[in-house]
Amino acid sequence: MWTGTGGSCRASSASRRGSRTMTAIDGRRRDLKKIRRLHVQHAGLLLDKMLVWPEVLDDRAGQEAADKEALRALLEAAESIKVPEGYPRAFARRRALLEQLAGNVERGVTQVRHATAEGRLVVNLGAAAARETNIALLHTWGVPYLPGSALKGLASAAAHAAGVAAWQKADARKETPQGEDHRSLFGDTDESGCVVFHDAWWCPRGDQLPLDLDTMTVHHRGYYGDGASPPADHDEPNPVAFLTAKGAFLIALTGPEEWVEAAFEWLDVGLKHDGIGAKTAAGYGRMRLEKSPRQREREEREAAERERREEERRRVGARRRRLGDLVAAFRGKSTARQVFEEIQQISAEESLHDDVRGALRALYEKERECWRDWLKRDASPEQVEFAERFQMRPIEPSQKPMVSVGAAPAPRRAGAWERGLAWIARDQKNRSTLHFVGAAGRKPEERNRKDVKIEERDLEEALCAAAPGAPVEVEGERDGRKIVGIRRPIRGD
């Protein structure tokens, strides 16, 4: 409720002092001032038409203070206005109509999403008004809204700032043309873009308008005004009251589906990082845009996949720790079968094969005689095969395959081949590394598995199952000093 009202245009100071003849306009102002109580339910009407400028004769400072007080009282009155009774119904009808629009284009759709202000925002702050400041309000309902032109401009600026040629604005000074995608989405001076940015109405919530009173203070009015005086510590601050909005707004875009998605992506970037409206450098205008159903579905899938990988990592870690516990807890032949069978179960995890091989080797080194006897007398054929496959018993020196140092037959492809021994193991960074020992018996050469071509798939599996104590006889191809290929030895006729 606003208890004082009058014309928004103030009478001149000369009229107040009675130094000129009373005009018809002055008479209307005088009659309006007689209205002392008016129930106003429209914030726009209140702000535009109901401002009373008080008269303080022959006191410029007093007049300025009285004007500011009157303006602040007007803004406080607007801040306290309730949501118009019919606005929620109008909002619901408009949303239903928007969701049915197809835009008269092929695959045309209208997508609606909520954008929620993370703080405060003010659009049209600098628009013409008798109050020095302004705010965008719907003409019919007096409720805050985001003009479609402001949303389109923000999305266009965000696309341009990305620095991609296809999304650049035209720049006459730099003689750069407008990007093709930018022209298609946002249009140019000749034709409009393919996406329509509708005005974003405030989403009704509660019975109070989402208006808050705020203040900005100019500390050096003379310097920022005409620049006649330099800024000084003794300058008097000049606080200016203005209204801001908050809450959620319904953003609706109409056009071809793929272009609407692109528009929302740029709008999301702009609302999140740049902000909409005035005073964005001070943090105003930042908003959080609701994700599309497709985005939510994709994020849910990604979250589920991350959870699955994390669960797998925890499971593998627990089994790896269990292998260490089994080795430490082994107490001889009485526990051999139980330990061996549990290791067999853990080997079902392919990523743990190297760990299983290491655990079996550690068990064997811990009680060689015990394991030789158990594998010979008590183990099943499947268990014996399992122990051989994972090289539980290292190959004795006399059992190691001999490397022929004679001349190799003609290679299958270009390159110098030499006989040697090889195996594949994982290093400390869990990278798959090929180890190769040439005929001269030098120190094993290490090469990243990805940098070496292995001719046969079964050969790669054999190399992965091999170990330094049980290598595989192969031929290695050199490119200079590096091993670049591995194959099985070519036997002579």
Side-chain angles (χ1 to χ4, degrees):
M1 180 180 295
W2 174 243
T3 56
T5 173
S8 61
C9 297
R10 190 194 321 188
S12 66
S13 58
S15 174
R16 295 175 189 162
R17 294 193 296 270
S19 59
R20 63 179 178 80
T21 304
M22 184 71 69
T23 65
I25 297 296
D26 295 325
R28 293 174 185 172
R29 291 198 183 103
R30 180 192 60 198
D31 294 338
L32 286 171
K33 290 176 183 178
K34 295 178 182 179
I35 303 175
R36 292 298 176 222
R37 200 166 195 84
L38 183 64
H39 295 273
V40 178
Q41 295 299 322
H42 192 293
L45 176 64
L46 175 66
L47 294 173
D48 289 344
K49 303 299 181 182
M50 304 301 172
L51 176 58
V52 173
W53 293 111
E55 293 185 5
V56 180
L57 301 178
D58 302 324
D59 185 355
R60 181 175 180 179
Q63 181 66 58
E64 185 174 339
D67 288 348
K68 287 186 178 297
E69 184 61 30
L71 177 58
R72 189 174 187 87
L74 178 73
L75 298 181
E76 289 175 349
E79 182 186 20
S80 64
I81 290 180
K82 304 292 184 182
V83 177
E85 182 179 351
Y87 177 72
R89 295 192 300 273
F91 176 87
R93 289 196 302 269
R94 181 175 184 267
R95 175 168 186 166
L97 289 173
L98 285 173
E99 291 176 341
Q100 297 175 9
L101 290 179
N104 293 325
V105 295
E106 185 178 356
R107 297 185 62 192
V109 296
T110 295
Q111 291 189 16
V112 296
R113 302 187 199 172
H114 292 91
T116 305
E118 295 185 343
R120 298 183 177 187
L121 60 89
V122 53
V123 180
N124 283 2
L125 179 66
R131 304 180 305 279
E132 300 179 3
T133 61
N134 209 337
I135 187 171
L137 300 175
L138 285 172
H139 179 77
T140 305
W141 296 104
V143 172
Y145 78 108
L146 306 178
S149 57
L151 296 170
K152 183 175 182 178
L154 178 62
S156 173
H160 175 76
V164 180
W167 289 101
Q168 293 293 291
K169 296 181 180 179
D171 191 331
R173 292 183 302 172
K174 297 181 180 180
E175 297 182 353
T176 55
Q178 184 180 17
E180 182 178 350
D181 290 343
H182 193 281
R183 181 186 299 106
S184 299
L185 179 55
F186 301 107
D188 54 19
T189 55
D190 296 326
E191 59 182 18
S192 61
C194 63
V195 175
V196 177
F197 290 72
H198 300 276
D199 292 342
W201 284 24
W202 171 67
C203 301
R205 182 178 181 182
D207 61 351
Q208 198 73 33
L209 284 184
L211 297 175
D212 284 324
L213 189 61
D214 209 334
T215 302
M216 53 182 166
T217 303
V218 181
H219 290 271
H220 309 290
R221 182 165 38 170
Y223 175 73
Y224 290 116
D226 54 13
S229 58
D233 292 340
H234 56 76
D235 288 344
E236 184 177 357
N238 178 38
V240 178
F242 65 101
L243 287 174
T244 61
K246 59 185 177 182
F249 295 79
L250 185 71
I251 297 180
L253 305 183
T254 301
E257 185 175 9
E258 61 274 14
W259 288 104
V260 168
E261 290 284 351
F264 266 120
E265 289 180 6
W266 290 124
L267 193 57
D268 183 33
V269 172
L271 291 172
K272 183 184 300 181
H273 299 288
D274 302 324
I276 190 170
K279 299 180 69 64
T280 54
Y284 289 72
R286 301 300 190 276
M287 303 187 77
R288 183 178 65 257
L289 183 63
E290 178 187 32
K291 294 179 174 58
S292 68
R294 185 178 301 175
Q295 287 176 311
R296 289 196 297 270
E297 182 181 352
R298 183 174 66 249
E299 291 183 357
E300 289 173 359
R301 288 199 307 268
E302 292 173 352
E305 178 62 21
R306 286 194 300 270
E307 180 61 26
R308 185 194 65 77
R309 288 198 299 265
E310 179 62 22
E311 179 61 29
E312 181 179 358
R313 186 190 66 80
R314 289 195 294 266
R315 185 181 67 254
V316 169
R319 293 186 175 183
R320 183 174 286 120
R321 290 190 297 271
R322 180 57 181 161
L323 286 172
D325 294 341
L326 289 172
V327 173
F330 176 64
R331 293 294 182 267
K333 192 173 181 179
S334 62
T335 59
R337 181 175 296 279
Q338 178 183 351
V339 169
F340 196 90
E341 288 178 350
E342 188 165 351
I343 290 178
Q344 280 184 291
Q345 294 175 0
I346 294 176
S347 70
E349 191 75 47
E350 187 176 354
S351 60
L352 289 174
H353 280 188
D354 289 341
D355 299 271
V356 169
R357 187 177 295 108
L360 290 173
R361 192 70 53 79
L363 285 170
Y364 188 81
E365 295 296 334
K366 191 173 183 179
E367 292 284 351
R368 288 194 172 206
E369 293 300 327
C370 171
W371 285 109
R372 283 196 189 104
D373 185 64
W374 185 83
L375 289 171
K376 183 177 181 180
R377 298 177 181 275
D378 301 326
S380 66
E382 292 78 10
Q383 290 172 331
V384 172
E385 188 276 333
F386 178 82
E388 292 177 353
R389 180 155 53 92
F390 282 90
Q391 290 88 42
M392 184 176 186
R393 293 182 296 180
I395 298 178
E396 301 298 334
S398 60
Q399 298 176 318
K400 291 183 179 179
M402 299 298 293
V403 179
S404 173
V405 295
R412 298 174 188 170
R413 59 189 178 94
W417 293 84
E418 67 174 275
R419 296 290 182 91
L421 300 174
W423 65 92
I424 293 177
R426 293 190 177 274
D427 60 13
Q428 295 179 350
K429 297 182 179 180
N430 201 31
R431 294 175 302 189
S432 184
T433 305
L434 174 79
H435 301 262
F436 179 82
V437 180
R442 298 189 299 266
K443 179 182 178 181
E445 303 175 45
E446 297 182 0
R447 292 281 286 157
N448 192 313
R449 166 63 191 87
K450 297 180 180 178
D451 299 331
V452 180
K453 182 176 181 180
I454 299 177
E455 298 276 341
E456 300 91 356
R457 180 175 180 83
D458 61 335
L459 175 58
E460 181 174 4
E461 294 176 354
L463 289 169
C464 290
V472 178
E473 186 179 0
V474 296
E475 288 183 351
E477 180 188 19
R478 290 190 180 277
D479 182 4
R481 293 187 176 183
K482 296 180 179 179
I483 292 294
V484 296
I486 291 292
R487 71 184 183 191
R488 293 191 183 277
I490 300 178
R491 307 296 180 184
D493 295 337

